[in-house]
Amino acid sequence: MAWASQTGFATALAERSAAALRESGRQVLLLPLDQVDGSVLAATRRALFIASTTGEGDPPDHALRFLRGPMAGDPALAELEYALLALGDREYVDFCAFGRQLDEWLRHRGARPLFDRVEVDNADEAALRHWQYELGRIAGTGQLPDWAPPAYEPWRLVERELLNPDSQGGPVYDLRLLPATGPLPAWQPGDIAEIGPRNPPARVSALLRQLELDGETVVAGERGAESLAALLARSQLPDADGLQGLPAAALAARLRPLPHREYSIASIPEDGQLHLLVREMTGADGQPGLGSGWLCRHARRGDAIDLRLRANPGFHPPPPGKPLILVGNGTGLAGLRAHLHARVAAGARRNWLLFGERNADRDFFHREELRELQAQGWLQRLDLAFSRDDGDRAYVQDRLLAAGDAVRQWIAEGACVLVCGNASGMAPGVDAALASILGEELRDRLRIEGRYRRDVY
């Protein structure tokens, strides 16, 4: 974990990040960036960087040694996986300039990003929560508590529809939500829904029985007075051993809130509802995932859902006058669907979707809608890849490579590329395909110009 800090904020975040990883059982070496040299990088297989930008796009003073040392050289970093948190202030023209410079240098040296760069504008809490969300994935646990819990708004589950009965993969649901009160708020395509999950009622009841406590007992929580059962539903459930005889108030004081979960929004406000496309995940113990289990299995129609909208500027739409290539797999269709709906609303017809899943007869999510958009001319091209179908097994990156001539033509006409979906398989494959089709220099220039954007997880 390397930090570059001018005022101490990046240092504090690095220390908190390192502590969180250590608590999950990871070994972490924490260093200022000026103490990282070529030998340290060569011996490292995974590195996390937290980099501030000062003044008009300058690195922190102490980081100049790294800038003039390793970054001035040409080390081979093909064995390195990394993640980067860039701190800046949008009031300055060169927002997060040093973080972006460091990210591009790492990519050019062959290092592989664990996820796309997270940029923080003036200590924005939502961006920091996203960084911590990704830390939880690196740690192999989803239980890292949020440093700054989202200020959720109450929403309600209107409808939940299973889209892929009998799929070889996990069940995928289209969930539709509305605010519990008031009008639908505004958001942009690419934005994220932060969900506050809840524990299954059966687990809460089992713990209360073990501790011989009444779930209706009123206790003090972060939301004020509420029942013990309600607080436990939103908290990390402790092991009952050693807690017998503990009063309800004392138990409440020990509880830590569940971490949030993030989902790409699959609709635009003009659709009248907020849609999510969620696959129910299963842990090694066979239990449903924390967030997906709550949304796909335990929450009932009409139930309250804790939700906060988070802006995701790095995946916002390009100008409607530009052609758009959308690439994704699985539930990554959610973010792409929102962009398609926005394009239709803006009257933009130069749209091309490449979508991949397992089987065409079970996993072609929103099939009728996409076919209708194609028939009406809103989708000029629709390329599909189904990896488990006999006779024509392919992944979405294979379809992209096969359409290389058309990709080059669309890019020459000013097209933007948006990629949404799996970060470990699909996204690197698509990235490599774009490099093969366009060349690494043009691919990287598209990224720098904001014409190649990703929302991968």
Side-chain angles (χ1 to χ4, degrees):
M1 175 82 68
W3 52 266
S5 184
Q6 189 73 18
T7 65
F9 184 49
T11 308
L13 291 178
E15 290 171 346
R16 295 186 75 172
S17 299
L21 293 174
R22 286 169 179 151
E23 287 176 7
S24 70
R26 301 280 173 157
Q27 293 183 332
V28 182
L29 175 63
L30 181 63
L31 292 173
L33 190 60
D34 55 286
Q35 293 184 22
V36 177
D37 56 21
S39 62
V40 171
L41 287 174
T44 301
R45 294 295 172 264
R46 178 169 287 182
L48 279 67
F49 298 89
I50 300 182
S52 291
T53 296
T54 68
E56 298 297 334
D58 300 321
D61 294 341
H62 74 98
L64 289 174
R65 180 176 177 181
F66 184 84
L67 186 70
R68 295 167 180 170
M71 287 184 69
D74 192 24
L77 301 178
E79 301 300 318
L80 178 67
E81 294 181 325
Y82 76 96
L84 192 146
L85 180 68
L87 309 178
D89 187 335
R90 290 194 185 275
E91 291 187 3
Y92 292 94
V93 174
D94 293 317
F95 173 65
C96 288
F98 178 59
R100 294 175 178 179
Q101 181 184 5
L102 177 57
D103 189 24
E104 291 302 318
W105 177 78
L106 288 164
R107 289 175 184 267
H108 280 296
R109 300 281 67 79
R112 302 182 307 281
L114 293 161
F115 49 88
D116 285 349
R117 178 182 66 242
V118 177
E119 296 185 342
V120 181
D121 176 22
N122 201 20
D124 175 55
E125 290 184 352
L128 292 176
R129 279 196 306 274
H130 180 59
W131 170 256
Q132 195 189 9
Y133 175 81
E134 297 291 359
L135 279 182
R137 293 175 52 196
I138 292 172
T141 174
Q143 300 301 320
L144 297 182
D146 291 324
W147 295 335
Y152 297 118
E153 297 291 338
W155 290 58
R156 60 183 176 88
L157 179 61
V158 175
E159 191 61 72
R160 179 172 56 213
E161 178 186 359
L162 177 62
L163 298 183
N164 62 340
D166 303 319
S167 172
Q168 295 182 35
V172 171
Y173 293 88
D174 175 17
L175 295 105
R176 304 163 200 174
L177 301 101
L178 285 171
T181 59
L184 201 65
W187 68 85
Q188 292 193 55
D191 285 348
I192 301 295
E194 295 181 342
I195 298 290
R198 301 191 185 185
N199 291 304
R203 288 193 62 201
V204 173
S205 297
L207 179 62
L208 288 168
R209 285 194 301 271
Q210 285 180 282
L211 299 179
E212 298 181 342
L213 291 172
D214 182 358
E216 297 303 313
T217 301
V218 176
V219 295
E222 78 279 4
R223 300 184 182 181
E226 60 183 328
S227 72
L228 178 59
L231 181 58
L232 285 168
R234 300 194 316 276
S235 303
Q236 298 186 43
L237 297 181
D239 192 323
D241 293 343
L243 298 181
Q244 280 78 8
L246 195 69
L251 174 62
R254 295 189 179 194
L255 296 177
R256 304 169 71 189
L258 288 170
H260 76 282
R261 291 293 185 263
E262 300 187 352
Y263 299 96
S264 300
I265 300 174
S267 60
I268 58 176
E270 290 82 353
D271 294 330
Q273 295 177 327
L274 187 147
H275 286 242
L276 301 178
L277 193 61
V278 181
R279 188 185 303 274
E280 184 177 335
M281 306 300 292
T282 303
D285 58 359
Q287 295 300 309
L290 178 62
S292 66
W294 163 238
L295 290 173
C296 298
R297 180 177 296 196
H298 301 298
R300 297 169 297 180
R301 187 184 304 172
D303 275 358
I305 303 292
D306 289 337
L307 186 148
R308 172 184 168 129
L309 300 175
R310 175 172 69 78
N312 185 21
F315 203 62
H316 280 171
K322 299 285 187 181
L324 184 62
I325 302 173
L326 300 163
V327 187
N329 71 333
T331 56
L333 183 61
L336 306 182
R337 181 177 186 259
H339 279 283
L340 272 175
H341 284 207
R343 299 280 287 184
V344 172
R349 292 182 175 271
R350 290 295 310 279
N351 306 307
W352 176 4
L353 173 65
L354 299 100
F355 171 68
E357 244 293 343
R358 288 175 175 81
N359 298 104
D361 61 341
R362 281 158 282 184
D363 303 305
F364 188 174
F365 311 137
H366 298 297
R367 177 199 304 261
E368 292 77 14
E369 175 184 295
L370 293 174
R371 288 299 190 193
E372 184 176 356
L373 290 175
Q374 187 180 27
Q376 294 175 350
W378 295 110
L379 263 178
Q380 288 195 357
R381 182 163 176 170
L382 175 61
D383 289 32
L384 302 169
F386 294 101
S387 60
R388 306 293 173 84
D389 280 351
D390 292 335
D392 190 26
R393 300 190 178 196
Y395 294 98
V396 69
Q397 53 265 38
D398 300 323
R399 296 289 186 246
L400 195 64
L401 279 169
D405 289 342
V407 172
R408 282 187 288 270
Q409 180 62 37
W410 279 57
I411 293 299
E413 295 170 359
C416 300
V417 181
L418 300 184
V419 180
C420 191
N422 183 271
S424 59
M426 183 276 298
V430 168
D431 195 61
L434 288 173
S436 176
I437 294 167
L438 304 173
E440 292 187 5
E441 182 178 350
L442 178 54
R443 179 204 59 187
D444 292 344
R445 190 164 76 245
L446 293 179
R447 182 186 293 119
I448 294 169
E449 293 174 353
R451 292 176 57 195
Y452 172 25
R453 309 178 187 184
R454 310 197 310 174
D455 176 17
V456 298
Y457 45 85

